[in-house]
């Protein structure tokens, strides 16, 4: 298992991901995120870890907010 990302790298990647979602646009957002996840799953190469990441991402997922 690889080491966790440094906080600054995590922040940069979060911003890059948010920008890419914006670039994909509302009509293609879900498709983009599913494609990104699949590409990252292939990099991980471990189905159990990928399934756990899916479960972790859903846990306590907040509702969107305009504030």
């Amino acid at each position: 298992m690889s080491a966790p990302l440094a906080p600054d790298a995590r922040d940069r990647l979060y911003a890059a991901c948010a920008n890419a979602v914006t670039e994909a646009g509302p009509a293609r957002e879900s498709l983009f995120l599913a494609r990104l996840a699949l590409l990252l799953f292939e990099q991980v190469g471990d189905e159990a870890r990928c399934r756990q990441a899916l479960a972790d991402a859903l846990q306590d997922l907040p509702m969107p907010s305009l504030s």
Side-chain angles (χ1 to χ4, degrees):
M1 189 162 153
S2 59
L5 291 170
D8 57 333
R10 189 176 196 171
D11 289 344
R12 287 190 303 271
L13 288 169
Y14 181 88
C17 185
N19 288 334
V21 168
T22 299
E23 185 176 335
R28 300 185 308 159
E29 179 178 317
S30 294
L31 179 61
F32 167 77
L33 291 173
R35 186 174 186 195
L36 173 63
L38 182 58
L39 291 170
L40 293 172
F41 291 162
E42 288 178 349
Q43 291 292 313
V44 171
D46 181 329
E47 183 178 354
R49 284 181 62 203
C50 293
R51 287 184 178 276
Q52 185 60 56
L54 287 169
D56 291 348
L58 278 174
Q59 185 176 355
D60 300 323
L61 188 64
M63 292 302 291
S65 172
L66 297 177
S67 60

